[in-house]
C-alpha cells in the first residue's frame, strides 16, 4: 500500500505545473528601461557608442570618417563600405535635385574633414518627406555607399532613419528576456539590472524618465549622486540581480561585474 501512495505522490509532483522563469516589471520600471534603451540607441546612432548589440542593423559611420577614408585610399574605402548599407548622422547643407531630377541631401562632413560634404541620394518617392527637411537640420539617414562619383563619396537608395524602430526592437528583446522567453547577452543583462535598480531609487516624475537622458543635466546629477559610494545604486543592483536569479532568469548573473562597476 505504501508503494502505491508513493507512486501517486510522484505522479502528482510530475503533473504539477512548473513556475515559468519570469519577472513582471512595474510601469515605472518599464518606463525607465525604455529611457535607457533610447539613450543607448541615441549613442549608437550618433557616434557608434553603445552597450547593446546592433549587429542586425546597418553599421554607423561618421560622415567625416567616410570622406576621409575615400580621400586617403579609395580602394581600401570601397572594400570597407561600397555596396553596404550604412547609417550616418550629419547637418544638412542643401536639399537639391540632380540632372536626372533625383533628390539628394548634401551632408556636412564638419571642419577638418578632407572633403566638405557628401551627397545622399533619395528615390523620387521620398520628395514629400524631403520637402519637410530644412538646411542646418541634423538628420540621420540609412543609405547604400556607392563609392566615389566625380571625386566625391556618394550614398544612394537613402531614407530618413527612424530610431524609434530600433528602440522598439531592442525593447522587445528586453521584455522577452524578462518573460523568460529568450536568453539575454551581457549588454541586455547589464541594462536590465541597472535600469530596475535605478527605477527603484527614483520617483515617477524624475527627469530621467520624463525627459530624454542625453543632455539632461538634472538626470546626470541624480545618477551621479546614486552612483557615489553609499548612494544606493550598487546595493539596489545587487538586490535586483538576486531577485532575477531567484525568479529563474539565469542570465542576470552576466550583469554582476557591470552592476558592481555602475556603483563605483
Amino acid at each position: 500500500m505504501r508503494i502505491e501512495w508513493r507512486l501517486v505522490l510522484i505522479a502528482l509532483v510530475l503533473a504539477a505545473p512548473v513556475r515559468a522563469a519570469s519577472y513582471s516589471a512595474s510601469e515605472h520600471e518599464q518606463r525607465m528601461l525604455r529611457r535607457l534603451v533610447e539613450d543607448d540607441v541615441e549613442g549608437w546612432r550618433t557616434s557608434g557608442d553603445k552597450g547593446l548589440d546592433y549587429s542586425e542593423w546597418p553599421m554607423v559611420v561618421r560622415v567625416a570618417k567616410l570622406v576621409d577614408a575615400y580621400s586617403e585610399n579609395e580602394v581600401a574605402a570601397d572594400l570597407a563600405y561600397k555596396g553596404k548599407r550604412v547609417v550616418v548622422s550629419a547637418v544638412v547643407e542643401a536639399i537639391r535635385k540632380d540632372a536626372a531630377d533625383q533628390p539628394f541631401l548634401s551632408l556636412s562632413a564638419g571642419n577638418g574633414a578632407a572633403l566638405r560634404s557628401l551627397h545622399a541620394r533619395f528615390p523620387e518617392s521620398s520628395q514629400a518627406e524631403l520637402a519637410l527637411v530644412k538646411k542646418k537640420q541634423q538628420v540621420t539617414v540609412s543609405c547604400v555607399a556607392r563609392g566615389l562619383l566625380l571625386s566625391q563619396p556618394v550614398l544612394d537608395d537613402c531614407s530618413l532613419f527612424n530610431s524609434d524602430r530600433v528602440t522598439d526592437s531592442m525593447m522587445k528583446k528586453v521584455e522577452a528576456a524578462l518573460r523568460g522567453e529568450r536568453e539575454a547577452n551581457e549588454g541586455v543583462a547589464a541594462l536590465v539590472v541597472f535600469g530596475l535598480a535605478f527605477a527603484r531609487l527614483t520617483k515617477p516624475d524624475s527627469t530621467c524618465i520624463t525627459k530624454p537622458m542625453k543632455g539632461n543635466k538634472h538626470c546626470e546629477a541624480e545618477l551621479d549622486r546614486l552612483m557615489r559610494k553609499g548612494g544606493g545604486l550598487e546595493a539596489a543592483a545587487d538586490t535586483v540581480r538576486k531577485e532575477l536569479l531567484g525568479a529563474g532568469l539565469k542570465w542576470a548573473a552576466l550583469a554582476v561585474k557591470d552592476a558592481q562597476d555602475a556603483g563605483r
Side-chain angles (χ1 to χ4, degrees), residues 15 46 49 54 65 75 89 113 118 124 158 164 169 177 230 237 252 264:
T46 57
D49 183 22
Y54 295 88
K65 181 178 179 180
V75 174
S89 296
L118 58 75
E124 289 188 26
C158 297
D164 286 342
S169 175
R264 292 195 179 101

Side-chain angles (χ1 to χ4, degrees), residues 115-126:
L115 296 173
R116 180 181 174 183
S117 63
L118 58 75
H119 287 177
R121 302 190 299 197
F122 288 71
E124 289 188 26
S125 58
S126 299

